[in-house]
Amino acid sequence: AWNFWRLHILVAIAYEIIARLLVGTLDVVLDSSARVAPYRILHQTQDSQVYWAVACGSSRKEITKHWEWLENNLLQTLSIFDNEEDITTFVKGKIHGIIAEENKNQQPQSEEDPGKFKEAELKMRKQFGMPEVEKLVNYYSCSYWKGRVPRQGWLYLTVNHLCFYSFLLGKEVTLVIQWVDVTQLEKNATLLFPECIKVSTRDSELYFSMFLNINETFKLMEQLANIAMRQLLDNESFLQDKSLPKPRKPLKNISALKRDLDARAKNECYRATFRLPKDECLDGHTDCTLWTPFNKMHIPGQMFVSNNYICFASKAEEACHLIIPLREVTIVEKADSSSVLPSPLSISTKSKMTFFFANLRDRDFLVQRISDFLQRTPSKKPCGINICIFQEVPELPSSSPLAVSPPSALNNRPVNFCAGEVPTASQGLLKLFRRNSEELLGPKGAKEKMKEESWNIHFFEYGRGMCMYRTAKTRELVQKGIPENLRGELWLLFSGAWNEMVTHPGYYGDLVEKSMGKYNLATEEIERDLHRSMPEHPAFQNELGIAALRRVLTAYAFRNPTIGYCQAMNIVTSVLLLYCNEEEAFWLLVALCERMLPDYYNTRVVGALVDQGIFEELTREYLPQLSEKMQELGVISTISLSWFLTLFLSVMPFESAVVIVDCFFYEGIKFILQVSLAILDANMEKLLQCCDEGEAMTILGRYLDNVVNRQSVSPPIPHLHALLTSGDDPPLEIDIFDLIKTSYEKFSNLKADDIEQMRFKQRLKVIQSLEDTAKKSVVRAVSSDIGFSIEELEELYVVFKAKYLMSCYWGNNRAAAARRDQSLPYLEQYRIDMEQFKELFISLTPWSCGAHTPVLAGRLFRLLDENRDSLINFKEFVTGMSGMYHGDLTDKLKILYKLHLPPGE
């Protein structure tokens, strides 16, 4: 009988364990916000078949703590009730009240977040030990592959972390990864699943699969990792956009942060597509058709509306792009609908152009939004409303910067500087140093006149200025070389610099005035490079050109002290000044540094390294035979930096390189990449025969030095490449227009969107590589004076850096983060304050025990803080740690003694 009852008890226990594991597993799989634990406390009366969950815990210690609380606060009260129903009602009410109070005290920051999402966020914080300041963006059901076994659970994506939780048949998996530690992020295909997401760190590779929408998840992970990389690059942490308009309809299970990030992604794509200023925010977009007068047809596409612009992009690539600044709009008129053209809308501008849209859904709402934006547009004064949304606005005085159009403004916009009137304030240097008109009457001059006439015909058919229809025909004309008289105007239009210039009148002049007579590291570097920008050009062999270059570079250094001045900026700016006046060259430089070549011109040339990685990847794809050889020789890293940073201006004859710049301002980095591939392709046979890097560089140098522009009307400028050798047979000349044509024929299938995707992938790799270099540099700098091994110092650096980064997004007092200066040596860039040091002291040092630990940590911090700025760097930190770990007894006693003397006490 005893054996029977013992077997019965064991079977009951086994069933209970199995049931508990199955319930926990099912709850995690089916409930998106669950944090199911293997231990539970249940309430059930004797006569009832129903039980109520009172508490749960992931460990025996946790559940015991809950039980003790119940004993002290609840169980004694139950004795006063007479029946079981009252007991159950009381217990349920008490527990619900406690939960409600906890939820009240831990509400997320946004009331827009749906209730289900709030619950998930609260449980995420509890599950992974996150503070309230850590915000959940979204969560997804997926499987995590641990070895060969998938663990079904929930992936939580927060602003700063990737977290995963799974409870499967008694086995619990908890992962927490900081985005700043992610080195690679990609979608992969495995044997079992066609798609999965691979997350790589320096220590591990994690695979997640079985997503309901893997593309949405991957894009969000990319965006969050990119934000983290931006934080490592320039200390720019994530700040939620409080001005984001509320949705017209409540969204289910989508947080305000997710909406914010989605809006940012759309804004970035919108600004990149139409080359708009960095602060332009997309309000919405809709399908429509646009009447194109040049081919007499309606083109399907999308209309985009933002605070200051109405834009159109055709569905067929390059069929038509259109940008209409609201500052140019005079009339917005609804026309009568018909079965052929439903919901038409016409928009007229000050340049007497009218744009006709049709097939607009919700046209009335669209017109109202445009009306709202027009009312907020500077210089817009709406009159009475009849069939038009606005009556035509009278023309502004010609002196107003908002009234002029690019053709008339280029020659008549004088800027008064503090030093007095200067010629370069109103025209480019090339006009000031123009040759005699007789020299322009030959065959080259006739060819130049033909180009100008082609553009005039294009302006007549497609419009001139910001509102020009941009089509494949426009690109064809650019490929043939922009005439010198139109070059400055079209550079301003295609780059988007014109928009920023006309909306910031007087900005450049103010910067020049403020920066005059000021000296810093940037101005010293500028002064050193002024006379070696384009010394062979007559425009920079006198003080007029040098002074203009000085003013533009100095003004930009004061506008953007994060960049300040970087080598290669002087070469590019000197070319801009040849075709533009100072103010125009300044805004072109802004467009170049801040939008078209992001992160290129800084101390670590991150942007150029990113595009170098893209170039290597494209070489593997398009020129696989050559790719392996180039990697072996190590040539790509050398050539791409000089080509990309100066847009070929430093490696190619000026009259040829300036045609490259024409196409770059129209196409962007895509064109530079495809021309670079064409150059490698043209030299493939010779490069495959090379034995070393020097030989390969000589071949490429000779090739580039002999790229000629036979159509140029500019005086020839001597350009002898440093690698050009004498005594050999003269190399064949390569026509620049043939090179451009070849690049389009062989590599024009490069897409701007694909390049941006590749930029993200490479940015992760480049920034993490730079961080590893910084770590090695810091460890090498301190290793000689410290008792720790190299491996130990690297581990301490990782912990120290992580504690600093925590202050960037978790600390209430962000003094350490705010005072980071990337121009400082690596050793000085990461510094922590006293509170952070105390946390490290408690967790790492052998002297942390008892109530005196915080006092001891504070005294040691003050002792290590030699410059009294309330921050210590890594060297000071490991110096204190080394004394506690590796000092002999006498050294340790000395440290303790010093802690009781000023400034330690």
Side-chain angles (χ1 to χ4, degrees):
W2 168 249
N3 289 335
F4 171 79
W5 284 108
R6 184 170 62 178
L7 178 62
H8 182 75
I9 292 171
L10 291 175
V11 171
I13 293 173
Y15 275 121
E16 173 65 23
I17 293 173
I18 293 173
R20 187 174 64 198
L21 295 178
L22 288 175
V23 169
T25 300
L26 290 174
D27 281 347
V28 170
V29 172
L30 299 177
D31 183 2
S32 65
S33 61
R35 178 201 179 261
V36 177
Y39 297 93
R40 296 184 180 185
I41 298 175
L42 308 177
H43 169 73
Q44 184 179 22
T45 58
Q46 292 181 359
D47 299 331
S48 175
Q49 298 298 319
V50 179
Y51 67 82
W52 301 91
V54 174
C56 60
S58 58
S59 64
R60 186 181 295 274
K61 180 179 180 182
E62 184 180 357
I63 204 67
T64 301
K65 183 178 179 182
H66 292 326
W67 178 258
E68 291 174 352
W69 186 92
L70 290 171
E71 280 187 318
N72 296 329
N73 297 277
L74 196 63
L75 294 184
Q76 296 177 359
T77 310
L78 299 183
S79 59
I80 65 174
F81 295 98
D82 296 331
N83 58 66
E84 294 178 347
E85 291 184 3
D86 292 342
I87 292 175
T88 300
T89 302
F90 174 77
V91 172
K92 287 169 59 180
K94 186 73 172 177
I95 299 303
H96 288 160
I98 294 172
I99 294 174
E101 187 65 26
E102 181 181 359
N103 289 348
K104 180 180 178 181
N105 294 332
Q106 299 184 28
Q107 286 295 327
Q109 82 285 358
S110 176
E111 293 300 326
E112 295 179 30
D113 295 341
K116 190 73 172 177
F117 186 88
K118 293 179 181 179
E119 182 182 351
E121 184 172 45
L122 292 173
K123 292 193 174 184
M124 175 276 297
R125 291 174 185 164
K126 186 176 182 183
Q127 174 66 50
F128 302 104
M130 300 290 181
E132 287 188 43
V133 290
E134 182 67 356
K135 307 302 181 185
L136 178 65
V137 179
N138 213 350
Y139 54 96
Y140 301 92
S141 173
C142 68
S143 291
Y144 161 63
W145 287 82
K146 190 173 184 181
R148 298 183 179 179
V149 180
R151 301 284 181 180
Q152 183 65 29
W154 290 87
L155 184 71
Y156 296 86
L157 305 181
T158 73
V159 172
N160 302 293
H161 295 84
L162 177 152
C163 306
F164 177 82
Y165 178 76
S166 171
F167 180 78
L168 186 65
L169 298 178
K171 293 187 178 180
E172 190 175 29
V173 176
T174 303
L175 299 173
V176 178
I177 299 170
Q178 291 189 69
W179 290 118
V180 291
D181 292 332
V182 174
T183 57
Q184 191 174 15
L185 193 62
E186 57 186 347
K187 283 193 293 186
N188 278 347
T190 65
L191 185 63
L192 295 176
F193 294 98
E195 284 187 310
C196 69
I197 295 177
K198 175 185 175 184
V199 181
S200 301
T201 65
R202 290 176 178 81
D203 305 319
S204 61
E205 293 181 348
L206 311 174
Y207 292 87
F208 301 93
S209 63
M210 297 183 68
F211 291 93
L212 293 177
N213 190 337
I214 191 169
N215 291 326
E216 176 194 325
T217 309
F218 185 70
K219 286 182 180 178
L220 181 57
M221 293 169 75
E222 278 188 328
Q223 198 171 5
L224 292 169
N226 214 16
I227 290 172
M229 293 305 104
R230 176 59 56 186
Q231 183 178 344
L232 288 176
L233 179 61
D234 56 16
N235 209 35
E236 181 181 318
S237 58
F238 176 80
L239 292 176
Q240 186 178 355
D241 184 3
K242 300 296 184 180
S243 63
L244 193 68
K246 292 185 178 181
R248 288 187 284 173
K249 297 180 180 179
L251 303 174
K252 294 183 179 180
N253 296 335
I254 297 180
S255 67
L257 281 176
K258 178 68 165 58
R259 287 183 58 241
D260 186 339
L261 291 170
D262 288 345
R264 290 178 189 226
K266 291 179 180 178
N267 287 336
E268 289 173 4
C269 182
Y270 171 61
R271 291 191 292 260
T273 301
F274 299 104
R275 306 276 172 80
L276 299 179
K278 293 179 69 175
D279 57 352
E280 192 65 19
C281 294
L282 178 65
D283 186 70
H285 58 88
T286 183
D287 291 335
C288 68
T289 58
L290 171 67
W291 171 257
T292 49
F294 49 86
N295 57 5
K296 304 295 189 295
M297 62 185 296
H298 285 272
I299 297 180
Q302 283 191 319
M303 175 193 284
F304 301 83
V305 178
S306 60
N307 307 52
N308 301 290
Y309 299 90
I310 299 171
C311 301
F312 174 85
S314 58
K315 290 186 178 179
E317 188 177 7
E318 295 183 354
C320 182
H321 270 209
L322 178 65
I323 303 169
I324 308 174
L326 292 182
R327 64 179 181 269
E328 296 287 334
V329 173
T330 56
I331 301 175
V332 179
E333 183 178 4
K334 293 188 289 187
D336 294 333
S337 295
S338 66
S339 58
V340 179
L341 287 177
S343 303
L345 178 70
S346 68
I347 299 175
S348 300
T349 66
K350 289 185 291 186
S351 58
K352 308 304 179 185
M353 294 182 71
T354 299
F355 305 96
F356 196 75
F357 300 90
N359 293 283
L360 288 161
R361 289 180 293 180
D362 204 357
R363 180 181 61 167
D364 291 339
F365 176 77
L366 174 65
V367 169
Q368 184 59 49
R369 293 302 294 164
I370 295 175
S371 173
D372 293 341
F373 289 136
L374 279 170
Q375 288 179 326
R376 295 198 291 265
T377 301
S379 81
K380 288 294 180 185
K381 299 178 181 179
C383 304
I385 299 176
N386 43 33
I387 61 169
C388 300
I389 299 306
F390 287 103
Q391 297 286 358
E392 185 168 353
V393 178
E395 290 292 333
L396 296 173
S398 59
S399 60
S400 171
L402 294 175
V404 296
S405 59
S408 62
L410 287 170
N411 299 324
N412 299 298
R413 298 192 70 249
V415 179
N416 294 316
F417 302 122
C418 292
E421 191 69 32
V422 291
T424 51
S426 58
Q427 54 188 325
L429 287 167
L430 211 59
K431 292 183 179 180
L432 296 174
F433 291 87
R434 185 182 295 278
R435 298 175 301 173
N436 296 330
S437 57
E438 297 178 359
E439 300 180 22
L440 299 176
L441 298 178
K444 290 184 178 181
K447 183 72 173 178
E448 185 78 356
K449 290 294 183 183
M450 290 176 61
K451 283 186 180 181
E452 290 182 11
E453 186 60 28
S454 297
W455 275 99
N456 287 330
I457 294 172
H458 186 273
F459 292 147
F460 179 78
E461 294 181 355
Y462 296 85
R464 186 170 188 172
M466 207 68 230
C467 299
M468 175 198 301
Y469 293 97
R470 306 174 194 212
T471 68
K473 178 67 175 177
T474 312
R475 191 184 72 176
E476 289 175 10
L477 285 176
V478 173
Q479 290 174 27
K480 295 176 181 178
I482 299 176
E484 286 191 352
N485 289 337
L486 298 175
R487 187 161 271 148
E489 171 190 339
L490 294 177
W491 283 0
L492 286 165
L493 293 179
F494 295 148
S495 67
W498 178 258
N499 285 321
E500 293 186 279
M501 184 173 70
V502 298
T503 53
H504 296 82
Y507 178 84
Y508 172 70
D510 291 341
L511 275 180
V512 171
E513 182 180 353
K514 292 176 182 177
S515 60
M516 277 189 173
K518 304 290 178 61
Y519 298 96
N520 53 33
L521 180 61
T523 57
E524 291 178 8
E525 293 175 344
I526 290 170
E527 206 63 37
R528 189 166 55 245
D529 287 348
L530 284 176
H531 293 276
R532 50 191 183 192
S533 298
M534 286 189 68
E536 65 278 2
H537 198 286
F540 295 97
Q541 294 171 357
N542 61 81
E543 186 55 31
L544 180 65
I546 294 296
L549 182 60
R550 178 188 293 113
R551 282 191 291 270
V552 173
L553 291 174
T554 304
Y556 186 78
F558 275 77
R559 166 189 166 86
N560 192 343
T562 302
I563 293 178
Y565 171 77
C566 176
Q567 284 188 340
M569 288 174 66
N570 60 316
I571 296 175
V572 175
T573 307
S574 62
V575 174
L576 300 180
L577 281 167
L578 291 176
Y579 299 96
C580 305
N581 65 42
E582 288 186 35
E583 185 179 15
E584 294 161 354
F586 170 81
W587 287 111
L588 277 170
L589 185 61
V590 169
L592 198 71
C593 296
E594 299 176 12
R595 288 190 288 105
M596 300 190 71
L597 296 178
D599 305 320
Y600 261 60
Y601 301 102
N602 55 36
T603 54
R604 298 192 284 182
V605 292
V606 172
L609 293 174
V610 168
D611 287 345
Q612 172 190 306
I614 294 175
F615 185 41
E616 292 179 2
E617 193 172 334
L618 293 175
T619 305
R620 285 193 295 271
E621 180 180 350
Y622 290 98
L623 306 171
Q625 287 182 307
L626 186 58
S627 173
E628 186 176 345
K629 183 70 174 182
M630 298 295 278
Q631 291 292 336
E632 177 187 333
L633 298 176
V635 173
I636 288 183
S637 59
T638 304
I639 62 177
S640 55
L641 282 179
S642 60
W643 295 1
F644 297 168
L645 277 170
T646 65
L647 304 177
F648 287 93
L649 289 166
S650 65
V651 294
M652 195 180 284
F654 166 75
E655 56 271 15
S656 302
V658 77
V659 182
I660 298 286
V661 178
D662 291 341
C663 297
F664 166 76
F665 277 125
Y666 188 80
E667 296 273 19
I669 191 62
K670 166 185 175 295
F671 176 76
I672 300 297
L673 291 168
Q674 72 183 38
V675 167
S676 301
L677 289 171
I679 293 170
L680 292 186
D681 183 55
N683 292 276
M684 182 181 294
E685 293 184 6
K686 293 181 180 179
L687 291 172
L688 288 174
Q689 304 301 319
C690 291
C691 299
D692 54 41
E693 180 185 6
E695 187 178 354
M697 293 300 297
T698 300
I699 290 171
L700 292 171
R702 288 173 63 88
Y703 178 88
L704 291 171
D705 197 60
N706 288 279
V707 176
V708 298
N709 180 2
R710 299 185 180 93
Q711 301 177 14
S712 175
V713 294
S714 296
I717 300 174
H719 178 85
L720 293 177
H721 197 278
L723 296 174
L724 188 61
T725 57
S726 59
D728 299 330
D729 295 334
L732 296 175
E733 291 184 339
I734 303 94
D735 189 273
I736 181 62
F737 299 105
D738 291 339
L739 175 61
I740 291 173
K741 181 180 178 182
T742 302
S743 75
Y744 276 102
E745 289 175 350
K746 292 189 175 183
F747 308 106
S748 62
N749 57 345
L750 292 176
K751 306 297 181 187
D753 293 342
D754 295 337
I755 291 174
E756 286 304 313
Q757 185 71 21
M758 296 167 72
R759 271 180 165 174
F760 161 77
K761 179 181 176 181
Q762 293 296 330
R763 191 176 292 114
L764 277 179
K765 186 184 299 184
V766 167
I767 293 180
Q768 295 293 17
S769 175
L770 291 172
E771 289 296 306
D772 289 341
T773 301
K775 178 176 69 175
K776 292 177 182 178
S777 175
V778 170
V779 167
R780 187 166 55 248
V782 303
S783 59
S784 58
D785 304 325
I786 304 299
F788 292 110
S789 65
I790 297 294
E791 293 76 14
E792 290 171 335
L793 284 173
E794 288 183 350
E795 292 179 3
L796 284 171
Y797 180 84
V798 170
V799 174
F800 184 86
K801 174 184 168 184
K803 183 59 64 177
Y804 162 81
L805 291 174
M806 291 294 181
S807 71
C808 294
Y809 47 81
W810 281 3
N812 294 326
N813 182 6
R814 301 179 56 177
R819 294 175 67 174
R820 182 186 178 194
D821 184 355
Q822 294 205 3
S823 65
L824 295 173
Y826 288 131
L827 184 60
E828 296 291 333
Q829 288 188 17
Y830 294 124
R831 296 180 293 172
I832 60 175
D833 57 26
M834 182 181 291
E835 293 303 316
Q836 294 168 303
F837 177 78
K838 286 181 179 179
E839 294 172 9
L840 291 177
F841 184 91
I842 293 170
S843 60
L844 295 177
T845 64
W847 291 1
S848 59
C849 59
H852 70 281
T853 300
V855 177
L856 195 63
R859 292 186 173 190
L860 181 58
F861 179 87
R862 287 189 289 271
L863 181 65
L864 297 173
D865 182 20
E866 296 181 357
N867 60 358
R868 306 292 182 269
D869 64 350
S870 299
L871 297 169
I872 63 171
N873 61 30
F874 180 69
K875 183 174 183 179
E876 293 166 336
F877 169 71
V878 294
T879 299
M881 295 285 292
S882 181
M884 288 181 281
Y885 272 100
H886 297 287
D888 56 25
L889 182 59
T890 303
D891 294 332
K892 293 176 181 179
L893 287 173
K894 287 181 179 179
I895 294 174
L896 285 172
Y897 178 74
K898 290 180 180 179
L899 295 181
H900 293 80
L901 296 174
E905 65 178 2

